[in-house]
Amino acid sequence: MKNKMMKYFLALVPISLLAFFGLQSFSHNNSTLSGADYKFAADDLQPTATQKKVENLVTEILSNYHYRRVPLNDSLSSKIFDNYIKELDFNKMNFTAADIADFEKFRFQLDDQLKNGELTAAYQIYNVFRNRAKERFAFVASVLSKPVDFKTDETYTPDREKASWAKSKEELDNIWRKAVKSTLLDWKISGKADTSAIKDLRERYKRTEKYFDKTKSEDVFQQFMNSFTESVDPHTTYFIPKTASSFNQEMAQSFEGIGATLRNEGDYVMIVDCIVGGPAFRSKLLNPKDRIVAVAQGDDKPYQDIVGWFTDDAVKLIKGPKNTVVRLKILSSDAPIGSVPKEVRLVREKIKLEDGTAKKEVLNFNRDGREFKLGLITIPLFYRDAEGARNGEQGYKSTTADVKKYLNELKAEKVDGVIVDLRNNGGGFLNEAVSLTGLFISQGPVVQRRQSDGEINVENDRDPSITYDGPVTVLVNRFSASASEIFAGAIQDYKRGLVIGEQTYGKGTVQSLVDLDRFLKGEPEGVGQLKITMEKFYRVTGSSTQHKGVTPDIEFPSSFSASEFGESSQPSALPWDMIASTKYSPTTDVNEQAVVKLKALYQDRLKTDADLKKLVADINYIKKAKEKKTISLQEDKRHKEIDDQKKKNLADLGDELTSATEKEPEKAPTDSTSIAQAKLKILKERRSKDTYLKESERILTDFILLNPATPQIKLSNVDKKK
């Protein structure tokens, strides 16, 4: 009975199963807790009666229906405690060691408070945090009222996540003094006058303080509840009512201009993801965890600093009329400490559904005198017209339908092989990943789904026909996730094609959305939603896609480390494991000997090909630069640090501009406008060059030439791209 209901639960919404089994009563009893007698000050933020009921409800759901079924005990309480402190003060810029020592009394109480619908500890900690923040704002004002000495030879460590807590208020004062000085120094070097810099920084902190004062009890509640949910699993999240509404509606409208989803991370507005088909996505210049530090309108308006802004206010500045220009200053997610923000120019537009669908292209490639035609199919996400599918409409829009059409067209054009590009594809409809796999294999299992009770369901391709049986490579990167990993993993397991690129994200879990209003009706505040992990994915071999993702047959160099990006960077991520393999029949299209040969050819090119050598050099530069944790606060030294970085970033641009000038000196740009236009043209051309894709073409060509059925041409690393 339970298994049947679990299937029903997953097919529809979690509400049905939860209601069927009947959760415990959500009344709470505060009298058993030491926090019951705590008296909040008049200006403290305090929990509401509704929040206490929601806390109890969420605790019941996670304890009984989350995939992991983690017991709510002292061990989990300790993790929640650490997460909450980190959520409030991740850079250790407000609390002191004494504050943390005082909070330690709550470390093993949070599990009991969660069970009893008690929020005293969460709000006590927050109110101390708020008071400490107010002290910091007052201190910054005092620093900005005095002259700043840029000649003293001292350093500053911007990233304090792994640092020790300041032992005293005086030590914290010194950290903040250096933080203020660092900002003023960078602005000074960029050409901003001292008086203007001080004025702008003073306004930044006044604005931050004003935003801070707008924080409401529900915001504190969400922070604490997510410290709880994320201790269980990084993809389980609680949404307060206003955030739940944004999750489904307002977010998509708010970020329509550039096509990016944003959220606050500390003092920064951070990019969560780029909406497929939007300007940000197509630019290939923005990635998750990039931080926006300033925004400018058009090509000539000055930048507005947005550090310390709320996301909603930043959005008002970023969005705008269609076909207008917005410029962003971005601190890249993989940028070393003390990096100079890069500038990204985007043209706002309305995001169109068709911009996010699969695309086809034919690539012409010349190899030792022989012409190759390669098909490129780019799939930004796994989409499906769910309503059309439910209604049985003929020709409803889907990934599989579009790709099938493209494959037939490519066969008619007699391509020699196909590249399926899944880079930055975050997933989508599971059934599309299954049916898409079916275009390349005969019928058979594609992915296994395991529920929390251990029941395993297998998703099969039941169509014996194969749309395309030629050579295939699947190109992935660190941001290929979920359904992308299912498709790539199946192609690899069936030995149907080569997977090349970076290790994928490693998201092998399934979430369902629970509307909590169904259980707590009549509450005056609304109660929000819970996104909860219910299942886990496994490949046909029995190996989970969770945590490890898909390891390419040929792995490209990457600046995105597993410890910083992807599932393996999340401490609470569900572990990798294995279940029994399914019965499936691999093809003979790829064998171990061929992969070894292809890897050797690729390794040779890494040493000789100019583009690959530059790529490796750039990645090594970034990795080495990221090892540096401090920056100089002495003007001459900091000036040199910034100049060296700018030279590195602009060296290629300058070379290209100089080269173009030398070839056609009569067309050399002389005025600043012409130079700017020339640089924009060069930058556009540079973005069109894709080292990873070029190497994918070489590997696919190598693969084709290794096929006994292919007329033999001596394999070499000399090729010519048309």
Side-chain angles (χ1 to χ4, degrees):
M1 179 65 176
K2 185 173 182 180
N3 287 341
K4 288 182 179 179
M5 288 307 302
M6 182 65 78
K7 291 178 182 178
Y8 179 68
F9 173 91
L10 292 167
L12 300 175
V13 289
I15 298 161
S16 303
L17 181 66
L18 297 176
F20 177 83
F21 282 112
L23 295 171
Q24 297 176 14
S25 169
F26 303 117
S27 62
H28 48 274
N29 181 0
N30 296 336
S31 61
T32 61
L33 296 169
S34 59
D37 297 328
Y38 179 80
K39 302 299 182 185
F40 288 99
D43 61 343
D44 281 346
L45 289 178
Q46 302 180 35
T48 66
T50 296
Q51 288 168 4
K52 293 177 181 179
K53 294 178 184 178
V54 173
E55 178 192 39
N56 196 207
L57 171 59
V58 169
T59 301
E60 289 285 347
I61 293 174
L62 292 186
S63 297
N64 289 284
Y65 301 105
H66 188 277
Y67 181 91
R68 184 173 243 167
R69 304 281 177 91
V70 177
L72 188 53
N73 53 22
D74 284 353
S75 176
L76 184 60
S77 179
S78 181
K79 292 178 182 177
I80 298 168
F81 175 83
D82 289 334
N83 273 0
Y84 188 46
I85 297 296
K86 185 176 181 179
E87 176 79 15
L88 294 175
D89 195 8
F90 76 98
N91 214 29
K92 300 177 180 173
M93 296 283 285
N94 291 281
F95 290 136
T96 64
D99 291 325
I100 300 302
D102 186 49
F103 298 150
E104 280 293 328
K105 61 179 177 284
F106 298 126
R107 179 174 290 278
F108 302 114
Q109 288 187 15
L110 297 180
D111 56 326
D112 299 315
Q113 294 203 3
L114 283 164
K115 291 173 184 175
N116 288 276
E118 176 57 52
L119 289 160
T120 305
Y123 279 81
Q124 277 187 254
I125 292 171
Y126 180 82
N127 286 319
V128 173
F129 172 71
R130 186 172 70 158
N131 291 335
R132 295 293 177 265
K134 288 180 179 179
E135 292 171 4
R136 293 298 102 209
F137 296 137
F139 177 75
V140 168
S142 69
V143 171
L144 292 174
S145 66
K146 303 170 186 175
V148 181
D149 177 17
F150 296 116
K151 297 187 182 302
T152 302
D153 190 3
E154 58 181 347
T155 60
Y156 172 57
T157 304
D159 184 357
R160 288 184 40 78
E161 184 177 353
K162 296 182 180 178
S164 300
W165 294 99
K167 294 181 177 60
S168 64
K169 179 178 176 297
E170 289 71 28
E171 184 180 341
L172 204 54
D173 285 348
N174 194 45
I175 293 168
W176 274 84
R177 177 189 64 79
K178 288 183 176 183
V180 170
K181 182 178 178 179
S182 175
T183 302
L184 291 175
L185 180 55
D186 283 354
W187 285 355
K188 179 182 178 69
I189 291 173
S190 71
K192 184 177 283 192
D194 290 348
T195 53
S196 177
I198 290 172
K199 177 176 176 291
D200 288 350
L201 194 56
R202 185 178 286 122
E203 289 179 357
R204 172 193 284 186
Y205 281 103
K206 282 184 178 177
R207 184 172 60 243
T208 303
E209 184 173 12
K210 187 195 303 181
Y211 288 149
F212 205 90
D213 289 338
K214 290 181 180 178
T215 301
K216 297 179 180 178
S217 176
E218 63 179 358
D219 300 313
V220 180
F221 181 60
Q222 177 159 290
Q223 281 186 301
F224 176 68
M225 290 305 293
N226 282 334
S227 297
F228 168 32
T229 61
E230 290 170 14
S231 297
V232 176
D233 159 48
H235 303 292
T236 295
T237 307
Y238 168 70
F239 301 109
I240 58 175
K242 69 176 182 180
T243 309
S245 177
S246 296
F247 181 71
N248 294 315
Q249 299 174 3
E250 297 171 6
M251 283 292 194
Q253 297 170 3
S254 297
F255 307 117
E256 186 173 325
I258 66 168
T261 304
L262 313 176
R263 80 168 181 219
N264 281 109
E265 184 79 8
D267 290 333
Y268 292 103
V269 174
M270 186 186 76
I271 294 173
V272 177
D273 57 42
C274 296
I275 298 171
V276 175
F281 180 88
R282 293 202 312 272
S283 76
K284 298 184 179 179
L285 297 174
L286 300 173
N287 286 304
K289 295 189 178 181
D290 285 354
R291 292 153 292 170
I292 305 173
V293 298
V295 181
Q297 308 301 325
D299 287 314
D300 53 359
K301 295 291 191 300
Y303 274 98
Q304 168 68 59
D305 173 70
I306 65 165
V307 176
W309 283 38
F310 278 166
T311 300
D312 290 347
D313 294 307
V315 168
K316 293 174 185 176
L317 206 59
I318 294 170
K319 61 188 283 197
K322 179 182 176 182
N323 296 327
T324 59
V325 171
V326 62
R327 289 159 25 241
L328 309 175
K329 281 192 176 180
I330 300 291
L331 275 175
S332 298
S333 55
D334 61 345
I337 293 293
S339 294
V340 178
K342 67 180 181 181
E343 296 190 29
V344 175
R345 179 185 185 273
L346 299 171
V347 178
R348 301 178 178 104
E349 61 183 66
K350 184 174 182 179
I351 314 302
K352 300 176 182 177
L353 178 62
E354 56 266 28
D355 291 334
T357 58
K359 298 289 186 295
K360 179 203 76 172
E361 189 177 348
V362 175
L363 308 172
N364 295 308
F365 194 84
N366 187 296
R367 183 74 177 254
D368 293 343
R370 175 182 167 177
E371 291 287 341
F372 286 88
K373 268 188 179 182
L374 305 178
L376 172 65
I377 297 179
T378 303
I379 306 175
L381 80 164
F382 288 86
Y383 52 89
R384 163 181 280 219
D385 178 1
E387 185 175 351
R390 279 195 304 270
N391 295 335
E393 295 177 9
Q394 291 293 320
Y396 64 85
K397 191 75 172 171
S398 74
T399 305
T400 304
D402 288 345
V403 173
K404 184 174 185 178
K405 181 185 75 169
Y406 294 149
L407 288 172
N408 285 324
E409 291 173 356
L410 290 171
K411 284 195 298 184
E413 295 183 62
K414 300 187 184 312
V415 296
D416 298 290
V418 170
I419 299 170
V420 179
D421 190 349
L422 295 181
R423 287 176 296 174
N424 301 315
N425 183 320
F429 282 88
L430 168 66
N431 44 14
E432 286 300 317
V434 174
S435 57
L436 184 71
T437 304
L439 300 181
F440 297 91
I441 67 169
S442 184
Q443 61 188 14
V446 175
V447 65
Q448 303 184 77
R449 300 167 61 173
R450 185 182 188 274
Q451 298 169 8
S452 59
D453 61 0
E455 182 179 352
I456 297 171
N457 296 298
V458 180
E459 300 290 340
N460 292 277
D461 164 43
R462 302 188 184 281
D463 186 350
S465 66
I466 301 175
T467 301
Y468 181 74
D469 61 0
V472 178
T473 56
V474 180
L475 180 56
V476 295
N477 68 0
R478 192 61 179 155
F479 301 108
S480 303
S482 196
S484 293
E485 296 172 296
I486 290 170
F487 174 78
I491 293 295
Q492 188 178 61
D493 293 336
Y494 273 90
K495 301 187 184 301
R496 178 60 190 86
L498 292 165
V499 177
I500 57 180
E502 302 168 86
Q503 181 185 359
T504 61
Y505 192 90
K507 183 183 182 295
T509 57
V510 188
Q511 286 72 44
S512 297
L513 199 63
V514 182
D515 186 354
L516 301 180
D517 284 301
R518 299 287 186 94
F519 301 99
L520 292 173
K521 296 180 179 179
E523 292 296 323
E525 303 169 30
V527 295
Q529 296 177 331
L530 177 69
K531 181 160 66 78
I532 177 174
T533 296
M534 299 295 302
E535 287 185 312
K536 210 170 174 183
F537 287 133
Y538 294 83
R539 294 163 66 161
V540 292
T541 60
S543 175
S544 173
T545 57
Q546 173 65 9
H547 224 290
K548 290 186 178 182
V550 177
T551 301
D553 297 300
I554 299 176
E555 197 160 356
F556 291 171
S558 174
S559 60
F560 300 105
S561 70
S563 62
E564 294 178 291
F565 299 91
E567 197 78 0
S568 53
S569 68
Q570 305 287 341
S572 63
L574 271 65
W576 174 88
D577 62 347
M578 289 194 70
I579 59 175
S581 171
T582 59
K583 291 183 179 180
Y584 70 103
S585 301
T587 72
T588 58
D589 295 346
V590 179
N591 58 60
E592 187 176 344
Q593 292 78 12
V595 173
V596 169
K597 178 67 174 175
L598 293 169
K599 281 183 178 178
L601 291 166
Y602 163 67
Q603 289 297 328
D604 286 345
R605 282 193 293 270
L606 276 177
K607 301 171 186 175
T608 58
D609 181 77
D611 290 335
L612 286 174
K613 286 169 67 177
K614 182 183 181 304
L615 177 65
V616 172
D618 288 345
I619 289 172
N620 288 337
Y621 169 80
I622 291 172
K623 288 180 178 177
K624 186 175 180 180
K626 288 174 76 172
E627 293 174 1
K628 184 181 178 184
K629 303 301 181 184
T630 62
I631 58 175
S632 177
L633 295 181
Q634 199 274 331
E635 185 172 359
D636 292 341
K637 289 184 178 181
R638 180 63 181 147
H639 212 306
K640 185 177 184 306
E641 289 175 351
I642 292 175
D643 284 348
D644 288 346
Q645 187 186 71
K646 285 182 176 179
K647 287 176 184 176
K648 174 66 180 175
N649 293 343
L650 299 177
D652 296 331
L653 179 60
D655 289 343
E656 292 174 58
L657 192 61
T658 301
S659 176
T661 300
E662 288 173 351
K663 289 178 182 177
E664 299 180 277
E666 70 280 0
K667 295 182 181 180
T670 53
D671 62 280
S672 59
T673 302
S674 297
I675 291 173
Q677 290 174 343
K679 286 184 176 181
L680 282 173
K681 182 180 179 182
I682 291 166
L683 286 171
K684 184 177 180 181
E685 290 173 351
R686 283 177 60 194
R687 287 198 293 271
S688 69
K689 297 177 182 178
D690 188 336
T691 302
Y692 293 109
L693 180 58
K694 287 166 66 178
E695 181 56 23
S696 300
E697 295 174 56
R698 296 188 187 102
I699 292 172
L700 179 54
T701 308
D702 288 344
F703 186 32
I704 294 167
L705 292 172
L706 281 175
N707 189 330
T710 304
Q712 290 302 297
I713 297 175
K714 184 180 178 181
L715 281 172
S716 73
N717 292 316
V718 180
D719 50 55
K720 186 176 181 182
K721 174 92 182 287
K722 274 196 171 184

